Amino acid sequence: MVDISLENMAVDAPIFIAGHNGMVGSALLRLLKKEGFTNLLTVSRNEVDLRDQSAVNNWFAEYRPTYVFLAAGTVGGVYANATRQAEFLYDNLMIHATVVEASRQNDVRKLLYLGSSCIYPRSSHQPIVEEALLSGPLEPTNEGYAIAKIAGIKLCQFYREQYGKNFITVMPTNLYGPNDNFDLLSSHVLPALLRKFHEAKTAGAQSVSVWGSGKARREFLHVDDLAEACLHLMRTYSSPEHVNVGTGIDISIRELATMIGSVIYPEAELAFDATKPDGMPRKVLDVSRLTELGWKANRGLREGIEETYAWFLENQETARGAQRGVSSL
Ligand code: GFB
């Protein structure tokens, strides 16, 4: 049994959530507030550019966080990744490096770095075990992002080795939930389909466009489950190896589209768009390490979709990207 008092996080300890406006950062913020933490530190993009080392150093020297959740980054779905690789590589490399280095310089007690399941080789044996890292070529549509994320893992491991820093790394699978990006070109599949079915229903349209062949398989984790896993690992885990976070269950994109359709607009037919990429053929994580560490996902996908759709309906005016059409990029 894991000793869950390993890192006894005081409720008034200063905790920095880097990337609090994003889907993951905002879920972490919600959870930490709910858990009674009172000294939560955030900074917006126009106050501090996290790619700028001296700006980040100055902010750390002033606010002196004890704990850091590194959830900031430039992220997006398969199309955004494939068409903006330079941006994904540069922004993420810089953000990881500045925050990790400032955490070292300012004696952060523990840092949790969030990567992504796209770090694994395209032809990984499925479900993917942590040891598959760097065992083969990456999926070309997200190579830039994956290389930045792999550099972030290595950075944390080398800071642990060379400087004795307690920096841990967590690799979530495909995420969804409140505060997701609903822009049709840059978002991930789940929010995109949710919006497309909603708009088809509103317009009385007959079909919904689904990118690729529909045969690709993905695993979907509710972001509130991820936030809980991160807090659990922050409290209990202190080793160099990265930890997969997922459900261990995958479905095809066709099945996902059918499920979302059944929640929103069952009348719509699926129209597959072969001009858009499938990306990785299959991506599902082996979550044995996480299970042994005492944590398991507990939100079902259908309930998660219903809940996220309710959130979308309530927040359509302000939801990120929800006002932009496909012609905006
Ligand atoms: O969610 P998604 O963009 O991310 O796409 P990835 C997953 C699958 O859904 C692909 C299909 O096979 C898409 O072709 N899909 C169907 C759609 N309809 C749509 C749609 O309307 N929009 C989108 N976006 N997809 C990203 C990586 O890959 O996932 C990142 O590029 C990162 O690096 C992230 O790892 C979690 O799983 O393919």
Side-chain angles (χ1 to χ4, degrees):
M1 197 55 205
V2 180
D3 174 9
I4 64 154
S5 61
L6 190 66
E7 183 64 50
N8 189 9
M9 296 170 75
V11 287
D12 60 349
I15 305 175
F16 176 36
I17 300 110
H20 73 288
N21 281 322
M23 176 171 65
V24 173
S26 59
L28 282 166
L29 201 56
R30 266 197 308 279
L31 175 66
L32 293 167
K33 278 186 189 157
K34 198 177 94 191
E35 293 284 314
F37 290 97
T38 56
N39 198 353
L40 302 174
L41 305 171
T42 58
V43 66
S44 68
R45 196 171 296 208
N46 42 23
E47 286 169 278
V48 174
D49 180 348
L50 291 178
R51 297 169 304 179
D52 176 346
Q53 185 75 69
S54 60
V56 175
N57 284 353
N58 291 341
W59 187 88
F60 267 74
E62 187 174 347
Y63 291 97
R64 305 295 302 217
T66 302
Y67 299 102
V68 173
F69 288 92
L70 179 37
T74 294
V75 299
V78 64
Y79 186 80
N81 264 272
T83 52
R84 292 159 50 200
Q85 301 240 29
E87 206 184 315
F88 276 69
L89 178 53
Y90 176 79
D91 286 357
N92 290 303
L93 269 182
M94 297 302 282
I95 291 170
H96 305 157
T98 63
V99 175
V100 166
E101 172 59 13
S103 297
R104 177 188 76 84
Q105 285 185 26
N106 291 279
D107 300 318
V108 164
R109 186 175 156 86
K110 193 164 182 180
L111 173 144
L112 182 147
Y113 165 81
L114 280 142
S116 161
S117 58
C118 71
I119 57 163
Y120 294 115
R122 175 179 163 86
S123 56
S124 295
H125 178 76
Q126 307 279 336
I128 313 175
V129 292
E130 283 88 351
E131 291 73 18
L133 182 65
L134 292 173
S135 62
L138 296 163
E139 157 61 36
T141 57
N142 61 33
E143 197 178 3
Y145 183 64
I147 285 178
K149 286 288 165 191
I150 294 170
I153 299 177
K154 290 291 168 191
L155 201 65
C156 291
Q157 289 174 345
F158 291 140
Y159 271 61
R160 169 180 286 277
E161 214 173 279
Q162 188 177 342
Y163 303 122
K165 293 291 160 191
N166 195 0
F167 295 171
I168 62 169
T169 59
V170 169
M171 298 308 120
T173 192
N174 287 37
L175 303 167
Y176 71 95
N179 284 321
D180 209 338
N181 170 17
F182 290 87
D183 174 71
L184 291 180
L185 273 187
S186 62
S187 68
H188 290 98
V189 58
L190 197 149
L193 290 181
L194 215 142
R195 176 177 162 188
K196 286 185 197 175
F197 274 101
H198 173 72
E199 289 180 353
K201 181 183 175 178
T202 311
Q206 275 190 346
S207 66
V208 162
S209 154
V210 181
W211 293 357
S213 65
K215 291 182 185 148
R217 299 185 67 85
R218 294 289 182 275
E219 173 190 17
F220 295 95
L221 179 73
H222 193 288
V223 72
D224 287 337
D225 269 338
L226 172 72
E228 285 167 20
C230 288
L231 182 57
H232 176 75
L233 293 171
M234 189 63 130
R235 282 177 164 147
T236 61
Y237 185 72
S238 288
S239 299
E241 298 82 25
H242 62 280
V243 182
N244 287 343
V245 180
T247 61
I249 302 163
D250 63 338
I251 64 169
S252 73
I253 297 304
R254 177 190 284 276
E255 287 166 328
L256 175 76
T258 305
M259 191 185 284
I260 296 177
S262 74
V263 170
I264 301 174
Y265 185 39
E267 293 79 4
E269 288 160 20
L270 309 180
F272 291 97
D273 175 0
T275 65
K276 293 289 191 304
D278 265 347
M280 200 134 147
R282 189 177 178 206
K283 203 164 39 166
V284 56
L285 295 176
D286 182 307
V287 290
S288 318
R289 183 174 288 170
L290 183 64
T291 311
E292 275 164 35
L293 292 167
W295 190 88
K296 216 168 166 301
N298 62 44
R299 290 167 176 84
L301 181 56
R302 194 183 167 91
E303 297 71 51
I305 289 170
E306 287 167 354
E307 186 211 289
T308 307
Y309 182 48
W311 184 91
F312 174 76
L313 290 178
E314 266 178 37
N315 295 277
Q316 267 181 89
E317 301 304 315
T318 50
R320 276 186 301 145
Q323 303 307 318
R324 287 199 297 273
V326 275
S327 58
S328 67
L329 275 182

